[in-house]
């Protein structure tokens, strides 16, 4: 049971990192990003390839994963400079699918749909599986803590206020003399870097990545985690991620406790329970578990 | 000094004695505790149509084994988790099965990506993994013997298909493949096989499977003057391809996997389009005792190859654990080959197998999916293949090889 709880906390850490990254782009700046799994995938593939094919040390691979995802984020921000709302959502969704299709088709680089297996992990093999879990728990939550600290600072700084201004009304921010595009690019770069970092860590924890792992389902999970936690709030992003994992995994045991259901019904019951909880949450607490705190009310 | 050392010795002895009595006590207590088998089939998602039956097959075998007294008196408990046909969810499900339920084996991973994602967890935690996934790369992982695969890998499937086609006189074969883990490896095998057999692969295209029209692909097939086209795709795209090949007037042989053309194909295409289409599949051993028992248990409905395989997975795991006298993942790993191949008495069900093993006799399990013998990498050997031809809205058996 301990090993399982630790593993789930590691997963919660990945989700928290992703929710933090998304929060900069969507929560603060108001740019709907449904392509977050694409940046996650870019980070994962970059680090996996550099460490397993070119034998880079892992920390360098993680940094490279974050950097390359940030670059992709910057380019993406320039491409979608004039898009807002639904249109932006569609284009970012498309970006993630493009990444997935490139990963499936460029077999020379990514090994196609077979995926990359045997990605090294810190001391993997030298320690017991449980110790490896604990080591990774430390690494992931350290990363979450650092990202949380830096992003909270940024969010309360003048930079963060401009991002919020852009979210509330882009034209007003422009009239106030703020270079809107430049701020959007920086927000995208920052968010994508955190997403890429999450991907890089994930690849080394799982030891295996394949294009199927970067399907839109993960994007939806993270958007839900952030919505549940509180859009715009960094603490909310982390709480939301933990809440989501608890919900996904907790329903496993709850559904099993219902007497007289077959495993097939249990699987359906689980998905239903997750959906229902989220609907209820959004109905009765639309601002999220930990709402964003700003000095002015919208 | 001497006294001290004596004391220490006494203390050590005492501790050792206490520890061993604990260990013995633990073992005695464990003898009555149930053994847990984890099942990780796709109950939702793309594999959703297959998972429930795969699980039912496992449950049937376990019920039978429990009725026969279990594994040396210990009952078997089945815990199922849904892998949602998603590698990420599969990993979390496997974590729960291994860490919470202490499963000694995991049965029935279906999608290749799920199997590959779950595999490292299994060998690191010394849990045996029985799978129906076909990607070649799976048994090439450094799995230390913990993976058993009852699905013939795609290399074996394609090379068998090539032999069949050549024996029917195919010389110029066009390979049209959906983007999948087996497209590239299939092509390699086909080129090798046909070159050796005096033929040639006249063309090779990999297409994106979600497309709704394949005009340019079909044009290239027509231009290549091939006598056979190998449709290495999935149901929706192969259905469209068949229609477009008919329209273009292709008169050669059309050959595909059985999962890419089935009864639904006949509902969406007129008979004149489908007539003459040849399908092939690794076949469950339809005449075997094990297969017929499974069919009976399912209420005489059609049994898919995956359920036949999970039926065998559960039987193998139970017999291996009985043979070993303990139900750890490593014991199962080390004993599967002892009860699945060799000169032992042939059995086709778990009850007979348990009885013979209890009597100290050697057994050789012959399963519903085939004779289930494994090579050193964990791949299945000697599966039968079934060829059928479409004739006026139904399939007629051509050959069972």
């Amino acid at each position: 049971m301990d090993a399982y709880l630790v593993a789930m906390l590691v997963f919660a850490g990945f989700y928290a990192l992703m929710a933090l990254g998304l929060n900069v782009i969507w929560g603060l700046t108001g740019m709907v990003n449904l392509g977050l799994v694409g940046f996650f995938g870019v980070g994962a593939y970059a680090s996996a390839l550099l460490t397993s094919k070119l034998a880079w040390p892992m920390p360098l691979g993680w940094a490279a994963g974050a950097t390359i995802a940030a670059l992709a984020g910057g380019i993406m921000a320039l491409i979608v400079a004039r898009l807002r709302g639904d249109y932006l959502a569609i284009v970012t969704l498309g970006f993630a699918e493009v990444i997935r299709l490139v990963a499936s088709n460029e077999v020379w680089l990514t090994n196609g749909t077979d995926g990359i297996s045997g990605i090294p992990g810190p001391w993997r093999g030298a320690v017991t599986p449980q110790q490896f879990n604990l080591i990774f728990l430390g690494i992931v939550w350290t990363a979450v803590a650092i990202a949380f600290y830096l992003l909270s600072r940024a969010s309360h700084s003048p930079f963060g206020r401009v991002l919020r201004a852009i979210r509330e009304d882009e034209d007003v921010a422009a009239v106030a003399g703020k270079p809107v595009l430049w701020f959007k690019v920086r927000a995208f770069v920052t968010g994508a870097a955190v997403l890429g970092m999450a991907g890089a860590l994930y690849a080394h924890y799982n030891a295996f990545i394949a294009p199927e792992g970067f399907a839109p389902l993960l994007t939806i999970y993270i958007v839900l985690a952030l919505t549940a936690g509180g859009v715009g709030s960094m603490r909310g992003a982390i709480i939301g991620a933990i809440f989501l994992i608890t919900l996904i995994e907790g329903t496993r045991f709850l559904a099993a406790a219902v007497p007289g259901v077959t495993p097939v019904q249990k699987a359906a019951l689980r998905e239903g329970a997750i959906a229902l909880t989220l609907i209820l949450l959004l109905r009765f607490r639309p601002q999220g578990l930990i709402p964003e705190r700003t000095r002015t009310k919208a | 000094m001497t006294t001290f050392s004596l004391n220490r010795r006494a203390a050590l002895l005492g501790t050792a004695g206490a520890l061993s009595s604990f260990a013995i006590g633990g073992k005695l207590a464990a003898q009555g505790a149930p053994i847990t088998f984890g099942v990780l089939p796709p109950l939702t998602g793309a594999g959703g149509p297959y998972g429930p039956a795969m699980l039912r097959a496992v449950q049937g075998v376990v019920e039978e084994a429990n009725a026969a007294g279990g594994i040396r008196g210990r009952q078997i408990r089945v815990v199922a988790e849904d892998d949602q046909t998603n590698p990420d969810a599969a990993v979390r499900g496997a974590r729960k099965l291994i860490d919470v339920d202490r499963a000694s084996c995991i049965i029935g991973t279906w999608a290749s990506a799920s199997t590959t994602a779950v595999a490292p967890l299994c060998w690191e935690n010394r849990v045996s993994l029985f799978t129906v996934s076909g990607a070649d790369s799976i048994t090439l992982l450094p799995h230390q013997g913990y993976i058993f695969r009852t699905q013939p890998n795609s290399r074996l499937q394609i090379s068998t298909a090539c032999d069949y086609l050549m024996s029917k006189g195919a010389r110029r074969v066009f390979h049209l493949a959906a983007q999948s883990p087996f497209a590239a490896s299939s092509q390699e095998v086909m080129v090798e096989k046909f070159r050796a057999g005096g033929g040639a692969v006249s063309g090779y295209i990999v297409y994106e499977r979600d497309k709704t029209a394949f005009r340019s692909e079909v044009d290239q097939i027509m231009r290549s003057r091939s006598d056979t086209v190998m449709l290495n795709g999935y149901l929706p795209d192969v259905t469209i391809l068949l229609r477009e090949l008919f329209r273009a007037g292709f008169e050669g042989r059309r050959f595909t996997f059985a999962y890419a053309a089935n009864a639904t194909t006949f509902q969406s295409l007129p008979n004149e389009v489908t007539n003459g289409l040849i399908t092939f599949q690794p076949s469950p051993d339809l005449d075997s005792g094990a297969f017929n028992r499974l069919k009976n248990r399912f209420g005489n409905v059609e049994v898919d190859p995956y359920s036949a395989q999970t039926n065998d997975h559960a039987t193998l795991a139970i017999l291996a654990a009985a043979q070993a006298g303990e139900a750890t993942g490593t014991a199962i790993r080390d004993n599967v080959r002892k009860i699945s191949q060799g000169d032992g008495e042939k059995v086709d069900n778990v009850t007979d197998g348990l009885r013979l093993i209890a009597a100290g006799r050697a057994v050789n399990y012959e399963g519903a999916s085939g004779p289930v013998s494994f090579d050193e990498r964990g791949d299945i050997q000697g599966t039968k293949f079934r060829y059928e031809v479409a004739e006026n809205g139904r399939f007629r058996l051509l050959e069972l090889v």
Side-chain angles (χ1 to χ4, degrees), chain B residues 126-181:
Chain B
R126 300 195 186 87
V127 169
S128 290
L129 176 65
F130 294 84
T131 177
V132 304
S133 305
D136 291 343
S137 53
I138 289 172
T139 44
L140 299 176
L141 296 167
H143 61 77
Q144 302 157 27
Y146 283 101
I147 297 179
F148 295 94
R149 178 204 347 234
T150 46
Q151 176 83 347
N153 66 28
S154 41
R155 195 167 263 276
L156 175 63
Q157 294 197 26
I158 289 283
S159 90
T160 314
C162 289
D163 289 339
Y164 175 83
L165 286 174
M166 281 191 288
S167 76
K168 299 295 164 202
R171 286 295 169 267
R172 290 179 60 78
V173 177
F174 197 100
H175 182 205
L176 192 57
Q179 177 57 258
S180 77

Side-chain angles (χ1 to χ4, degrees), chain A residues 260-278:
Chain A
V261 287
T262 65
V264 181
Q265 290 166 329
K266 191 186 116 184
L269 204 60
R270 235 186 105 196
E271 299 201 330
I274 294 171
L276 185 68
T277 314
L278 290 166

Side-chain angles (χ1 to χ4, degrees), chain B residues 30-37 62-78 318 327 354:
Chain B
Q31 234 145 36
I35 295 160
T36 305
F37 281 4
V62 168
E63 276 163 26
E64 188 185 331
N66 282 339
I71 299 173
R72 305 210 169 189
R74 289 173 68 181
Q75 293 284 294
I76 306 149
R77 184 171 69 106
V78 175
I318 292 169
L354 284 171

Side-chain angles (χ1 to χ4, degrees), chain A residues 22 25 31-39 76 79-80 83-102 188 214-221 223:
Chain A
L22 177 66
I25 301 171
M31 295 184 285
V32 184
N33 179 5
L34 293 186
L36 66 101
V37 75
F39 300 108
M76 182 80 196
I79 295 172
V80 300
L83 299 179
R84 292 182 204 176
D86 301 347
Y87 304 98
L88 179 60
I90 296 289
V91 173
T92 50
L93 191 63
F95 165 77
E97 286 295 281
V98 166
I99 295 292
R100 195 169 63 82
L101 289 175
V102 168
F188 236 107
F214 304 107
L217 178 71
L218 193 54
T219 299
I220 294 165
Y221 275 165
V223 170

